[in-house]
mmCIF file of all heavy atoms in Angstrom:
data_model
loop_
_atom_site.group_PDB
_atom_site.id
_atom_site.type_symbol
_atom_site.label_atom_id
_atom_site.label_comp_id
_atom_site.label_asym_id
_atom_site.label_seq_id
_atom_site.Cartn_x
_atom_site.Cartn_y
_atom_site.Cartn_z
ATOM 1 N N LEU A 1428 0.855 -1.179 -0.002
ATOM 2 C CA LEU A 1428 -0.032 -0.004 -0.013
ATOM 3 C C LEU A 1428 0.922 1.255 0.010
ATOM 4 O O LEU A 1428 1.771 1.348 0.846
ATOM 5 C CB LEU A 1428 -0.912 0.004 1.278
ATOM 6 C CG LEU A 1428 -1.654 1.301 1.522
ATOM 7 C CD1 LEU A 1428 -2.614 1.633 0.407
ATOM 8 C CD2 LEU A 1428 -2.366 1.258 2.862
ATOM 9 N N GLU A 1429 0.711 2.088 -0.953
ATOM 10 C CA GLU A 1429 1.447 3.299 -1.024
ATOM 11 C C GLU A 1429 0.487 4.540 -1.096
ATOM 12 O O GLU A 1429 -0.566 4.448 -1.676
ATOM 13 C CB GLU A 1429 2.388 3.307 -2.207
ATOM 14 C CG GLU A 1429 3.409 2.214 -2.046
ATOM 15 C CD GLU A 1429 4.421 2.106 -3.199
ATOM 16 O OE1 GLU A 1429 4.100 2.530 -4.344
ATOM 17 O OE2 GLU A 1429 5.490 1.602 -2.971
ATOM 18 N N THR A 1430 0.919 5.635 -0.508
ATOM 19 C CA THR A 1430 0.038 6.800 -0.334
ATOM 20 C C THR A 1430 0.686 8.074 -0.854
ATOM 21 O O THR A 1430 1.884 8.184 -0.889
ATOM 22 C CB THR A 1430 -0.362 6.951 1.157
ATOM 23 O OG1 THR A 1430 0.815 7.403 1.872
ATOM 24 C CG2 THR A 1430 -0.939 5.669 1.762
ATOM 25 N N SER A 1431 -0.259 8.999 -1.168
ATOM 26 C CA SER A 1431 0.183 10.361 -1.508
ATOM 27 C C SER A 1431 -1.000 11.232 -1.016
ATOM 28 O O SER A 1431 -1.992 11.364 -1.651
ATOM 29 C CB SER A 1431 0.358 10.484 -3.029
ATOM 30 O OG SER A 1431 0.701 11.814 -3.370
ATOM 31 N N GLY A 1432 -0.752 11.879 0.177
ATOM 32 C CA GLY A 1432 -1.889 12.600 0.799
ATOM 33 C C GLY A 1432 -2.937 11.654 1.117
ATOM 34 O O GLY A 1432 -2.685 10.583 1.682
ATOM 35 N N LYS A 1433 -4.165 11.982 0.712
ATOM 36 C CA LYS A 1433 -5.247 11.023 0.984
ATOM 37 C C LYS A 1433 -5.455 9.991 -0.118
ATOM 38 O O LYS A 1433 -6.275 9.089 -0.015
ATOM 39 C CB LYS A 1433 -6.581 11.768 1.159
ATOM 40 C CG LYS A 1433 -7.141 12.406 -0.045
ATOM 41 C CD LYS A 1433 -8.572 12.949 0.204
ATOM 42 C CE LYS A 1433 -9.216 13.394 -1.079
ATOM 43 N NZ LYS A 1433 -10.611 13.875 -0.871
ATOM 44 N N TYR A 1434 -4.701 10.151 -1.146
ATOM 45 C CA TYR A 1434 -4.771 9.193 -2.324
ATOM 46 C C TYR A 1434 -3.866 7.983 -2.140
ATOM 47 O O TYR A 1434 -2.820 8.117 -1.529
ATOM 48 C CB TYR A 1434 -4.470 9.942 -3.649
ATOM 49 C CG TYR A 1434 -5.413 11.088 -3.859
ATOM 50 C CD1 TYR A 1434 -5.143 12.343 -3.461
ATOM 51 C CD2 TYR A 1434 -6.796 10.831 -4.290
ATOM 52 C CE1 TYR A 1434 -6.035 13.388 -3.585
ATOM 53 C CE2 TYR A 1434 -7.643 11.844 -4.445
ATOM 54 C CZ TYR A 1434 -7.302 13.135 -4.074
ATOM 55 O OH TYR A 1434 -8.275 14.188 -4.210
ATOM 56 N N TRP A 1435 -4.307 6.888 -2.634
ATOM 57 C CA TRP A 1435 -3.503 5.640 -2.447
ATOM 58 C C TRP A 1435 -3.730 4.617 -3.547
ATOM 59 O O TRP A 1435 -4.718 4.702 -4.270
ATOM 60 C CB TRP A 1435 -3.911 5.014 -1.038
ATOM 61 C CG TRP A 1435 -5.382 4.757 -0.943
ATOM 62 C CD1 TRP A 1435 -6.302 5.593 -0.521
ATOM 63 C CD2 TRP A 1435 -6.078 3.542 -1.307
ATOM 64 N NE1 TRP A 1435 -7.584 4.992 -0.579
ATOM 65 C CE2 TRP A 1435 -7.446 3.742 -1.035
ATOM 66 C CE3 TRP A 1435 -5.667 2.359 -1.819
ATOM 67 C CZ2 TRP A 1435 -8.460 2.760 -1.240
ATOM 68 C CZ3 TRP A 1435 -6.581 1.342 -2.094
ATOM 69 C CH2 TRP A 1435 -7.965 1.605 -1.837
ATOM 70 N N ALA A 1436 -2.785 3.711 -3.623
ATOM 71 C CA ALA A 1436 -2.863 2.575 -4.524
ATOM 72 C C ALA A 1436 -2.359 1.366 -3.795
ATOM 73 O O ALA A 1436 -1.437 1.455 -2.996
ATOM 74 C CB ALA A 1436 -2.054 2.845 -5.806
ATOM 75 N N ALA A 1437 -2.945 0.229 -4.106
ATOM 76 C CA ALA A 1437 -2.506 -1.027 -3.424
ATOM 77 C C ALA A 1437 -2.339 -2.076 -4.481
ATOM 78 O O ALA A 1437 -3.092 -2.202 -5.487
ATOM 79 C CB ALA A 1437 -3.551 -1.461 -2.438
ATOM 80 N N GLU A 1438 -1.315 -2.882 -4.293
ATOM 81 C CA GLU A 1438 -0.947 -3.992 -5.251
ATOM 82 C C GLU A 1438 -0.903 -5.273 -4.444
ATOM 83 O O GLU A 1438 -0.214 -5.324 -3.409
ATOM 84 C CB GLU A 1438 0.385 -3.727 -5.928
ATOM 85 C CG GLU A 1438 0.831 -4.825 -6.800
ATOM 86 C CD GLU A 1438 2.174 -4.616 -7.428
ATOM 87 O OE1 GLU A 1438 2.673 -3.470 -7.426
ATOM 88 O OE2 GLU A 1438 2.740 -5.577 -7.892
ATOM 89 N N LYS A 1439 -1.596 -6.273 -4.822
ATOM 90 C CA LYS A 1439 -1.537 -7.593 -4.248
ATOM 91 C C LYS A 1439 -0.237 -8.249 -4.817
ATOM 92 O O LYS A 1439 -0.031 -8.308 -5.953
ATOM 93 C CB LYS A 1439 -2.783 -8.415 -4.630
ATOM 94 C CG LYS A 1439 -2.815 -9.777 -3.880
ATOM 95 C CD LYS A 1439 -4.072 -10.487 -4.207
ATOM 96 C CE LYS A 1439 -4.137 -11.752 -3.348
ATOM 97 N NZ LYS A 1439 -5.353 -12.503 -3.652
ATOM 98 N N VAL A 1440 0.585 -8.706 -3.874
ATOM 99 C CA VAL A 1440 1.837 -9.407 -4.197
ATOM 100 C C VAL A 1440 1.526 -10.798 -4.681
ATOM 101 O O VAL A 1440 0.940 -11.594 -3.852
ATOM 102 C CB VAL A 1440 2.804 -9.342 -3.047
ATOM 103 C CG1 VAL A 1440 4.133 -10.052 -3.416
ATOM 104 C CG2 VAL A 1440 3.082 -7.930 -2.586
ATOM 105 N N GLU A 1441 1.835 -11.107 -5.853
ATOM 106 C CA GLU A 1441 1.445 -12.426 -6.493
ATOM 107 C C GLU A 1441 2.666 -13.372 -6.392
ATOM 108 O O GLU A 1441 2.449 -14.549 -6.663
ATOM 109 C CB GLU A 1441 1.069 -12.255 -7.885
ATOM 110 C CG GLU A 1441 -0.150 -11.380 -8.058
ATOM 111 C CD GLU A 1441 -1.497 -11.920 -7.492
ATOM 112 O OE1 GLU A 1441 -1.525 -13.139 -7.272
ATOM 113 O OE2 GLU A 1441 -2.405 -11.124 -7.368
ATOM 114 N N GLY A 1442 3.838 -12.949 -6.078
ATOM 115 C CA GLY A 1442 5.051 -13.787 -5.952
ATOM 116 C C GLY A 1442 6.308 -12.981 -6.017
ATOM 117 O O GLY A 1442 6.253 -11.746 -6.070
ATOM 118 N N GLY A 1443 7.430 -13.658 -5.876
ATOM 119 C CA GLY A 1443 8.688 -12.972 -5.831
ATOM 120 C C GLY A 1443 8.965 -12.244 -4.523
ATOM 121 O O GLY A 1443 8.454 -12.645 -3.494
ATOM 122 N N VAL A 1444 9.645 -11.122 -4.639
ATOM 123 C CA VAL A 1444 10.060 -10.347 -3.437
ATOM 124 C C VAL A 1444 9.570 -8.871 -3.767
ATOM 125 O O VAL A 1444 9.455 -8.442 -4.866
ATOM 126 C CB VAL A 1444 11.514 -10.353 -3.193
ATOM 127 C CG1 VAL A 1444 11.961 -11.771 -2.759
ATOM 128 C CG2 VAL A 1444 12.349 -9.879 -4.340
ATOM 129 N N ARG A 1445 9.339 -8.212 -2.664
ATOM 130 C CA ARG A 1445 8.905 -6.695 -2.768
ATOM 131 C C ARG A 1445 9.513 -6.007 -1.618
ATOM 132 O O ARG A 1445 9.746 -6.564 -0.590
ATOM 133 C CB ARG A 1445 7.381 -6.540 -2.676
ATOM 134 C CG ARG A 1445 6.665 -6.938 -3.937
ATOM 135 C CD ARG A 1445 7.016 -6.053 -5.205
ATOM 136 N NE ARG A 1445 6.908 -4.651 -5.014
ATOM 137 C CZ ARG A 1445 5.830 -3.970 -5.280
ATOM 138 N NH1 ARG A 1445 4.738 -4.511 -5.726
ATOM 139 N NH2 ARG A 1445 5.818 -2.671 -5.047
ATOM 140 N N ASN A 1446 9.852 -4.728 -1.869
ATOM 141 C CA ASN A 1446 10.354 -3.877 -0.739
ATOM 142 C C ASN A 1446 9.753 -2.508 -0.954
ATOM 143 O O ASN A 1446 9.293 -2.167 -2.052
ATOM 144 C CB ASN A 1446 11.865 -3.891 -0.666
ATOM 145 C CG ASN A 1446 12.559 -3.232 -1.832
ATOM 146 O OD1 ASN A 1446 12.128 -3.325 -2.936
ATOM 147 N ND2 ASN A 1446 13.672 -2.598 -1.549
ATOM 148 N N ILE A 1447 9.819 -1.757 0.084
ATOM 149 C CA ILE A 1447 9.404 -0.333 0.021
ATOM 150 C C ILE A 1447 10.542 0.474 0.670
ATOM 151 O O ILE A 1447 11.201 -0.046 1.569
ATOM 152 C CB ILE A 1447 8.051 -0.075 0.797
ATOM 153 C CG1 ILE A 1447 8.138 -0.616 2.234
ATOM 154 C CG2 ILE A 1447 6.903 -0.716 0.009
ATOM 155 C CD1 ILE A 1447 6.896 -0.271 3.029
ATOM 156 N N SER A 1448 10.737 1.641 0.241
ATOM 157 C CA SER A 1448 11.812 2.465 0.822
ATOM 158 C C SER A 1448 11.663 3.936 0.312
ATOM 159 O O SER A 1448 12.391 4.368 -0.555
ATOM 160 C CB SER A 1448 13.150 1.908 0.384
ATOM 161 O OG SER A 1448 14.163 2.598 1.139
ATOM 162 N N ASN A 1449 10.844 4.671 1.040
ATOM 163 C CA ASN A 1449 10.781 6.131 0.860
ATOM 164 C C ASN A 1449 10.542 6.585 -0.598
ATOM 165 O O ASN A 1449 10.979 7.655 -0.974
ATOM 166 C CB ASN A 1449 11.945 6.839 1.462
ATOM 167 C CG ASN A 1449 11.970 6.598 2.922
ATOM 168 O OD1 ASN A 1449 11.906 5.498 3.488
ATOM 169 N ND2 ASN A 1449 12.110 7.679 3.665
ATOM 170 N N GLN A 1450 9.946 5.818 -1.402
ATOM 171 C CA GLN A 1450 9.493 6.215 -2.797
ATOM 172 C C GLN A 1450 8.400 5.326 -3.232
ATOM 173 O O GLN A 1450 8.200 4.188 -2.715
ATOM 174 C CB GLN A 1450 10.688 6.163 -3.708
ATOM 175 C CG GLN A 1450 11.263 4.795 -4.008
ATOM 176 C CD GLN A 1450 12.457 4.839 -4.851
ATOM 177 O OE1 GLN A 1450 13.436 5.453 -4.526
ATOM 178 N NE2 GLN A 1450 12.476 4.108 -5.951
ATOM 179 N N LEU A 1451 7.690 5.759 -4.169
ATOM 180 C CA LEU A 1451 6.600 4.965 -4.682
ATOM 181 C C LEU A 1451 7.125 3.865 -5.595
ATOM 182 O O LEU A 1451 7.995 4.108 -6.355
ATOM 183 C CB LEU A 1451 5.538 5.816 -5.499
ATOM 184 C CG LEU A 1451 4.902 6.927 -4.588
ATOM 185 C CD1 LEU A 1451 3.995 7.808 -5.508
ATOM 186 C CD2 LEU A 1451 4.116 6.322 -3.470
ATOM 187 N N SER A 1452 6.574 2.614 -5.483
ATOM 188 C CA SER A 1452 7.013 1.525 -6.346
ATOM 189 C C SER A 1452 5.870 0.873 -7.113
ATOM 190 O O SER A 1452 6.162 0.075 -7.994
ATOM 191 C CB SER A 1452 7.714 0.497 -5.471
ATOM 192 O OG SER A 1452 6.814 -0.091 -4.525
ATOM 193 N N ILE A 1453 4.617 1.158 -6.767
ATOM 194 C CA ILE A 1453 3.465 0.612 -7.478
ATOM 195 C C ILE A 1453 3.368 1.404 -8.798
ATOM 196 O O ILE A 1453 3.259 2.601 -8.832
ATOM 197 C CB ILE A 1453 2.193 0.752 -6.702
ATOM 198 C CG1 ILE A 1453 2.309 -0.125 -5.420
ATOM 199 C CG2 ILE A 1453 0.992 0.341 -7.560
ATOM 200 C CD1 ILE A 1453 1.163 0.046 -4.484
ATOM 201 N N THR A 1454 3.471 0.666 -9.890
ATOM 202 C CA THR A 1454 3.383 1.306 -11.227
ATOM 203 C C THR A 1454 2.021 1.096 -11.906
ATOM 204 O O THR A 1454 1.079 1.804 -11.537
ATOM 205 C CB THR A 1454 4.553 0.870 -12.100
ATOM 206 O OG1 THR A 1454 4.479 -0.537 -12.221
ATOM 207 C CG2 THR A 1454 5.886 1.286 -11.569
ATOM 208 N N THR A 1455 1.907 0.161 -12.807
ATOM 209 C CA THR A 1455 0.625 -0.021 -13.564
ATOM 210 C C THR A 1455 -0.240 -1.178 -12.965
ATOM 211 O O THR A 1455 -1.378 -1.278 -13.281
ATOM 212 C CB THR A 1455 0.934 -0.280 -15.039
ATOM 213 O OG1 THR A 1455 1.759 -1.443 -15.136
ATOM 214 C CG2 THR A 1455 1.590 0.894 -15.631
ATOM 215 N N LYS A 1456 0.379 -2.063 -12.156
ATOM 216 C CA LYS A 1456 -0.435 -3.132 -11.580
ATOM 217 C C LYS A 1456 -1.098 -2.612 -10.212
ATOM 218 O O LYS A 1456 -0.432 -2.602 -9.255
ATOM 219 C CB LYS A 1456 0.382 -4.410 -11.262
ATOM 220 C CG LYS A 1456 -0.416 -5.533 -10.713
ATOM 221 C CD LYS A 1456 0.462 -6.727 -10.308
ATOM 222 C CE LYS A 1456 -0.311 -7.897 -9.813
ATOM 223 N NZ LYS A 1456 -1.096 -7.602 -8.549
ATOM 224 N N ILE A 1457 -2.297 -2.124 -10.331
ATOM 225 C CA ILE A 1457 -2.990 -1.583 -9.194
ATOM 226 C C ILE A 1457 -4.242 -2.441 -8.949
ATOM 227 O O ILE A 1457 -5.080 -2.559 -9.846
ATOM 228 C CB ILE A 1457 -3.367 -0.113 -9.405
ATOM 229 C CG1 ILE A 1457 -2.123 0.672 -9.618
ATOM 230 C CG2 ILE A 1457 -4.164 0.378 -8.290
ATOM 231 C CD1 ILE A 1457 -2.377 2.126 -10.132
ATOM 232 N N ASP A 1458 -4.327 -3.123 -7.828
ATOM 233 C CA ASP A 1458 -5.436 -4.007 -7.565
ATOM 234 C C ASP A 1458 -6.599 -3.268 -6.745
ATOM 235 O O ASP A 1458 -7.706 -3.770 -6.852
ATOM 236 C CB ASP A 1458 -4.936 -5.209 -6.806
ATOM 237 C CG ASP A 1458 -3.995 -6.057 -7.674
ATOM 238 O OD1 ASP A 1458 -4.389 -6.497 -8.749
ATOM 239 O OD2 ASP A 1458 -2.848 -6.197 -7.270
ATOM 240 N N ARG A 1459 -6.272 -2.289 -5.963
ATOM 241 C CA ARG A 1459 -7.212 -1.433 -5.261
ATOM 242 C C ARG A 1459 -6.648 -0.061 -5.323
ATOM 243 O O ARG A 1459 -5.478 0.151 -5.304
ATOM 244 C CB ARG A 1459 -7.419 -1.946 -3.864
ATOM 245 C CG ARG A 1459 -8.192 -3.253 -3.813
ATOM 246 C CD ARG A 1459 -8.597 -3.693 -2.431
ATOM 247 N NE ARG A 1459 -9.343 -2.623 -1.692
ATOM 248 C CZ ARG A 1459 -9.600 -2.693 -0.344
ATOM 249 N NH1 ARG A 1459 -9.187 -3.653 0.357
ATOM 250 N NH2 ARG A 1459 -10.222 -1.751 0.231
ATOM 251 N N GLU A 1460 -7.601 0.961 -5.353
ATOM 252 C CA GLU A 1460 -7.147 2.317 -5.395
ATOM 253 C C GLU A 1460 -8.203 3.254 -4.778
ATOM 254 O O GLU A 1460 -9.350 2.940 -4.678
ATOM 255 C CB GLU A 1460 -6.852 2.796 -6.856
ATOM 256 C CG GLU A 1460 -8.037 2.754 -7.709
ATOM 257 C CD GLU A 1460 -7.791 2.896 -9.163
ATOM 258 O OE1 GLU A 1460 -7.011 2.111 -9.724
ATOM 259 O OE2 GLU A 1460 -8.342 3.904 -9.787
ATOM 260 N N HIS A 1461 -7.746 4.451 -4.450
ATOM 261 C CA HIS A 1461 -8.620 5.503 -3.993
ATOM 262 C C HIS A 1461 -9.595 5.765 -5.120
ATOM 263 O O HIS A 1461 -9.192 5.840 -6.277
ATOM 264 C CB HIS A 1461 -7.838 6.742 -3.587
ATOM 265 C CG HIS A 1461 -8.691 7.820 -3.062
ATOM 266 N ND1 HIS A 1461 -9.490 8.702 -3.816
ATOM 267 C CD2 HIS A 1461 -8.905 8.292 -1.775
ATOM 268 C CE1 HIS A 1461 -10.137 9.504 -3.066
ATOM 269 N NE2 HIS A 1461 -9.740 9.334 -1.799
ATOM 270 N N PRO A 1462 -10.922 5.900 -4.802
ATOM 271 C CA PRO A 1462 -11.939 6.072 -5.894
ATOM 272 C C PRO A 1462 -11.674 7.249 -6.746
ATOM 273 O O PRO A 1462 -12.137 7.342 -7.939
ATOM 274 C CB PRO A 1462 -13.245 6.136 -5.138
ATOM 275 C CG PRO A 1462 -12.928 6.380 -3.701
ATOM 276 C CD PRO A 1462 -11.517 5.921 -3.514
ATOM 277 N N GLU A 1463 -10.920 8.302 -6.302
ATOM 278 C CA GLU A 1463 -10.710 9.492 -7.076
ATOM 279 C C GLU A 1463 -9.243 9.632 -7.525
ATOM 280 O O GLU A 1463 -8.841 10.708 -8.017
ATOM 281 C CB GLU A 1463 -11.095 10.753 -6.276
ATOM 282 C CG GLU A 1463 -12.639 10.789 -5.900
ATOM 283 C CD GLU A 1463 -12.900 11.756 -4.846
ATOM 284 O OE1 GLU A 1463 -12.003 12.604 -4.470
ATOM 285 O OE2 GLU A 1463 -14.066 11.726 -4.359
ATOM 286 N N LEU A 1464 -8.469 8.553 -7.399
ATOM 287 C CA LEU A 1464 -7.045 8.630 -7.705
ATOM 288 C C LEU A 1464 -6.734 9.135 -9.073
ATOM 289 O O LEU A 1464 -5.992 10.060 -9.295
ATOM 290 C CB LEU A 1464 -6.416 7.188 -7.527
ATOM 291 C CG LEU A 1464 -4.970 7.067 -7.823
ATOM 292 C CD1 LEU A 1464 -4.112 7.655 -6.695
ATOM 293 C CD2 LEU A 1464 -4.597 5.549 -8.011
ATOM 294 N N LYS A 1465 -7.406 8.543 -10.072
ATOM 295 C CA LYS A 1465 -7.062 8.918 -11.490
ATOM 296 C C LYS A 1465 -7.700 10.308 -11.834
ATOM 297 O O LYS A 1465 -7.064 11.056 -12.552
ATOM 298 C CB LYS A 1465 -7.563 7.827 -12.399
ATOM 299 C CG LYS A 1465 -6.749 6.507 -12.215
ATOM 300 C CD LYS A 1465 -7.339 5.400 -13.044
ATOM 301 C CE LYS A 1465 -6.522 4.088 -12.787
ATOM 302 N NZ LYS A 1465 -7.223 2.899 -13.318
ATOM 303 N N GLU A 1466 -8.841 10.529 -11.348
ATOM 304 C CA GLU A 1466 -9.542 11.783 -11.667
ATOM 305 C C GLU A 1466 -8.700 12.955 -11.058
ATOM 306 O O GLU A 1466 -8.583 14.012 -11.687
ATOM 307 C CB GLU A 1466 -10.937 11.790 -11.144
ATOM 308 C CG GLU A 1466 -11.820 12.953 -11.614
ATOM 309 C CD GLU A 1466 -11.806 13.148 -13.181
ATOM 310 O OE1 GLU A 1466 -11.979 12.076 -13.856
ATOM 311 O OE2 GLU A 1466 -11.666 14.281 -13.650
ATOM 312 N N TYR A 1467 -8.177 12.770 -9.926
ATOM 313 C CA TYR A 1467 -7.422 13.797 -9.258
ATOM 314 C C TYR A 1467 -6.110 14.078 -10.088
ATOM 315 O O TYR A 1467 -5.689 15.215 -10.290
ATOM 316 C CB TYR A 1467 -7.066 13.480 -7.794
ATOM 317 C CG TYR A 1467 -6.278 14.513 -7.067
ATOM 318 C CD1 TYR A 1467 -6.910 15.696 -6.663
ATOM 319 C CD2 TYR A 1467 -4.915 14.352 -6.809
ATOM 320 C CE1 TYR A 1467 -6.197 16.708 -6.015
ATOM 321 C CE2 TYR A 1467 -4.248 15.346 -6.091
ATOM 322 C CZ TYR A 1467 -4.830 16.471 -5.690
ATOM 323 O OH TYR A 1467 -4.153 17.470 -5.054
ATOM 324 N N ALA A 1468 -5.494 12.970 -10.561
ATOM 325 C CA ALA A 1468 -4.298 13.126 -11.396
ATOM 326 C C ALA A 1468 -4.649 13.823 -12.696
ATOM 327 O O ALA A 1468 -3.859 14.719 -13.124
ATOM 328 C CB ALA A 1468 -3.717 11.784 -11.670
#
């Protein structure tokens, strides 16, 4: 789960390894999102 203000995107991990570290890493595979995420962008 990664956030930007009240906006957010979540990706279900399907395999492999993942890490987070003070930057956004979710790109185009978004499994859940803030309902206004794209409209705000």
Side-chain angles (χ1 to χ4, degrees):
L1428 169 63
E1429 296 180 336
T1430 68
S1431 179
K1433 73 174 188 173
Y1434 300 97
W1435 56 271
E1438 177 184 344
K1439 187 174 182 179
V1440 179
E1441 302 291 346
V1444 296
R1445 285 298 305 270
N1446 69 324
I1447 55 175
S1448 187
N1449 295 51
Q1450 67 186 53
L1451 300 176
S1452 66
I1453 296 174
T1454 57
T1455 59
K1456 184 185 180 299
I1457 300 171
D1458 296 300
R1459 289 185 54 190
E1460 65 190 55
H1461 184 281
E1463 300 166 8
L1464 179 75
K1465 293 175 184 168
E1466 190 55 43
Y1467 184 71

